[in-house]
Amino acid sequence: MIKSILPLRAVELGYIANARTLLDGISLTINRGTFTVVLGPNGAGKSLLLRLLHGMLEPSTGTISWANGSSADRRRRQAMVFQRPVHLRRSVEANIVFALGALGIPRKDRSGLVQLALERAGLTAARRVHARLLSVGEQQRLSVARALAAEPDILFLDEPTASLDPVSVHRIETLLIEANARGTAIVLVTHDVSQARRVGQKIVFLHDGRINGQGPAPSFLDNPNSDVARAYLAGKIIV
Amino acid sequence: MVREFREKPYMHDLNAAILLAAQLIYTGDADLLEIIGLSIGVSLTAVLASCVIGMLLGAAIAVLKFRGRGAVTILLNSLMGLPPVVVGLGVYLLLSRAGPLGVFGLLYTPTAMIIAQTILVMPIVAALTRQVVEDFYAEYDEQLRSLGVRGRRLVTTLLWDARYSLITVALAGFGRAIAEVGAVMIVGGNIDHLTRVMTTAIALETSKGNLALALALGIILVGVSLLVNGAVASLGRRFGRSRYD
Ligand SMILES: Nc1ncnc2c1ncn2[C@@H]1O[C@H](COP(=O)(O)OP(=O)(O)O)[C@@H](O)[C@H]1O
Ligand SMILES: [Mg+2]
């Protein structure tokens, strides 16, 4: 077992597409076992930032560095849950097995990890069901279970509960808090202030492609150190 | 001649043909069974070969990024419309005694027919597979990249997940192969008991004026096509194809 790939350090990240600066001057450190919420209005660049951190896109400027591990280790030890769940056309169980195989987890370890992941997500009874027959809430829970199955050092989530009912939201938040307690660092993107309050330890407020304020969750949310963040948290529409 | 034709309306031929078709099937006519067997054997083999080559090729084009990808796609799409007689002629030139592959003596054999039909069907399978796999790839791309899926695993994953659409692709290929006459006629020669298949038999009987027999063979050919499609559909249902795909 190698050491954790964390901390993750992003320095002065920028992203320019079609001559538009979409992200600018983002510096950010994610330490082991932390729970960071990236908060901000639609179009702030939250999804883009997450894709850069997860290595889906190359930043135009700035650097992203991990503390340890080869590039293969880094792929294996991080995971991402996308806004819209994408599952292979096979059973719930087979989807998790596939992910473990793709991450290079030895065959003999897979069934144990799959069982654990299914249990934690409350999907054991649905293990043989075709993944695409699950309800939207269950599908997103499967996404989280699949992402957590290999016990990653860090998990990125892009508004995973944006279109779910309160019970499904609660179950996913519980999964995240439990995984965090086991040592997985979480970076959760949301535009939902009350969700940030429920789960976040640290808040990063993103607006117009820049970090517009950050701090420990309760104090930042109660007393944000930026005017835009204060307006957003007060429920005002900001542009 | 013309008068006689008028006095014998089409209905007469059609009725006679249906009767004849039923009779041929009911008595298990040995010549007919041989022709049906060869038709299915040749076309199925050609489709199988086309699927192995065409699906890998189509999937590779769908996931690889290379210069000239657009041109290759256009080329492949236009090859779907290759005229069978042109393919037949090309294969004939290759396989004839004087041709580059003449030493193998394959002309006027079922192997030559399989080669011709494979050339005819492979582009169809490749072009349709390219489209199907590309659509799947667009949906899966980020998730699979996030899981570190690349190379061969990427291609096999996409092909496997697209399996039900690809069965339809294979059926389209089979339909094209079993129905074409130009290519098998030129490279097979319609030799009785050797290279005669349903379509060439129909062409022969028509030219001899045995319209009822030709029509009966036509009806049987359509029936064979229906049977193959029906069998595949019911297999698909048994193995869990359903609305979510
Ligand atoms: N790959 C991309 N190429 C070009 N523009 C993009 C890309 N991704 C996002 N954008 C643009 O960047 C802006 C921020 O998008 P996004 O990160 O999705 O915002 P958020 O997730 O905060 O709602 C939007 O204006 C969007 O159109
Ligand atoms: Mg977003």
Side-chain angles (χ1 to χ4, degrees):
Chain A
M1 200 73 167
I2 61 148
K3 284 184 288 185
S4 170
I5 58 171
L6 298 177
L8 158 65
R9 271 181 237 287
V11 180
E12 292 288 321
L13 289 187
Y15 193 83
I16 299 163
N18 311 324
R20 270 177 71 206
T21 301
L22 301 171
L23 288 175
D24 189 23
I26 308 256
S27 294
L28 179 71
T29 300
I30 308 287
N31 286 310
R32 265 192 271 171
T34 52
F35 201 129
T36 308
V37 171
V38 178
L39 190 64
N42 276 330
K46 307 183 295 298
S47 298
L48 204 49
L49 174 59
L50 222 50
R51 286 191 165 84
L52 292 183
L53 295 177
H54 187 48
M56 297 277 98
L57 293 170
E58 287 295 315
S60 309
T61 58
T63 56
I64 294 168
S65 58
W66 300 86
N68 294 296
S70 64
S71 67
D73 291 330
R74 286 171 203 160
R75 183 54 46 230
R76 220 177 357 249
R77 306 287 288 266
Q78 58 173 306
M80 179 156 168
V81 171
F82 295 90
Q83 190 159 356
R84 214 171 43 83
V86 174
H87 295 302
L88 300 181
R89 285 156 169 83
R90 31 190 115 178
S91 73
V92 166
E93 188 172 30
N95 264 281
I96 302 180
V97 172
F98 176 86
L100 293 174
L103 294 174
I105 307 291
R107 206 171 281 273
K108 61 177 170 50
D109 299 339
R110 287 180 208 163
S111 79
L113 290 172
V114 169
Q115 220 151 24
L116 198 58
L118 288 170
E119 257 164 50
R120 283 174 177 158
L123 289 169
T124 306
R127 63 195 301 164
R128 304 221 185 284
V129 177
H130 196 288
R132 294 185 174 230
L133 284 181
L134 297 178
S135 72
V136 183
E138 289 168 325
Q139 287 202 30
Q140 198 55 292
R141 228 170 336 125
L142 174 57
S143 298
V144 175
R146 177 177 60 187
L148 286 171
E151 302 275 358
D153 292 337
I154 181 167
L155 172 62
F156 300 101
L157 302 101
D158 190 1
E159 309 208 33
T161 61
S163 54
L164 304 186
D165 65 273
V167 177
S168 302
V169 172
H170 175 72
R171 296 190 74 160
I172 285 180
E173 288 176 0
T174 307
L175 277 175
L176 299 182
I177 291 168
E178 286 169 359
N180 185 237
R182 290 195 302 273
T184 296
I186 308 276
V187 180
L188 172 72
V189 159
T190 184
H191 63 257
D192 180 352
V193 178
S194 54
Q195 182 167 56
R197 203 178 283 281
R198 285 194 300 273
V199 298
Q201 289 165 4
K202 180 187 169 189
I203 308 290
V204 173
F205 183 75
L206 203 64
H207 179 246
D208 207 10
R210 284 165 222 271
I211 292 182
N212 199 278
Q214 55 183 313
S219 62
F220 179 84
L221 293 171
D222 292 335
N223 190 17
N225 50 16
S226 95
D227 292 341
V228 188
R230 189 170 303 116
Y232 184 74
L233 292 170
K236 296 206 179 84
I237 295 164
I238 55 173
V239 283
Chain B
M1 183 71 195
V2 169
R3 172 170 311 186
E4 193 183 303
F5 195 65
R6 276 211 200 102
E7 282 165 3
K8 261 204 232 162
Y10 293 115
M11 276 315 287
H12 175 78
D13 272 339
L14 191 59
N15 285 338
I18 292 171
L19 262 175
L20 191 54
Q23 198 183 358
L24 284 171
I25 293 168
Y26 185 73
T27 58
D29 185 88
D31 282 358
L32 177 71
L33 290 181
E34 195 184 341
I35 292 174
I36 294 177
L38 188 65
S39 284
I40 294 180
V42 165
S43 294
L44 223 51
T45 311
V47 168
L48 220 64
S50 300
C51 284
V52 171
I53 307 167
M55 287 185 183
L56 286 175
L57 183 65
I61 295 171
V63 303
L64 291 176
K65 292 173 181 56
F66 57 92
R67 269 170 50 114
R69 190 170 169 281
V72 169
T73 300
I74 292 171
L75 179 70
L76 209 53
N77 287 346
S78 12
L79 288 181
M80 284 203 287
L82 268 182
V85 282
V86 173
V87 172
L89 186 57
V91 174
Y92 180 93
L93 292 174
L94 277 178
L95 298 184
S96 66
R97 284 268 165 247
L101 302 178
V103 288
F104 298 109
L106 290 175
L107 200 60
Y108 303 132
T109 66
T111 307
M113 296 154 78
I114 292 170
I115 293 172
Q117 290 201 340
T118 302
I119 292 172
L120 198 62
V121 170
M122 197 280 285
I124 298 179
V125 173
L128 296 177
T129 299
R130 202 264 322 147
Q131 184 64 56
V132 166
V133 169
E134 210 167 281
D135 292 346
F136 272 75
Y137 190 39
E139 186 194 351
Y140 286 6
D141 176 30
E142 279 202 318
Q143 184 61 63
L144 291 181
R145 267 198 298 141
S146 171
L147 293 170
V149 177
R150 284 181 288 124
R152 217 166 58 195
R153 191 193 289 265
L154 176 63
V155 169
T156 53
T157 301
L158 291 170
L159 284 174
W160 176 250
D161 266 52
R163 58 197 176 276
Y164 296 117
S165 308
L166 293 179
I167 287 174
T168 309
V169 169
L171 283 177
F174 181 76
R176 167 85 157 162
I178 196 96
E180 72 87 18
V181 56
V184 282
M185 184 71 96
I186 294 178
V187 304
N190 192 27
I191 304 167
D192 203 7
H193 300 302
L194 187 61
T195 60
R196 180 160 300 166
V197 290
M198 308 223 34
T199 52
T200 54
I202 292 170
L204 178 68
E205 296 306 334
T206 306
S207 70
K208 289 201 302 198
N210 297 332
L211 293 188
L213 180 55
L215 201 49
L217 288 170
I219 291 167
I220 293 168
L221 177 58
V222 173
V224 165
S225 253
L226 269 173
L227 272 179
V228 169
N229 278 275
V232 170
S234 75
L235 275 179
R237 209 166 304 120
R238 174 155 328 152
F239 290 111
R241 153 126 232 211
S242 47
R243 64 206 138 80
Y244 45 78
D245 287 299

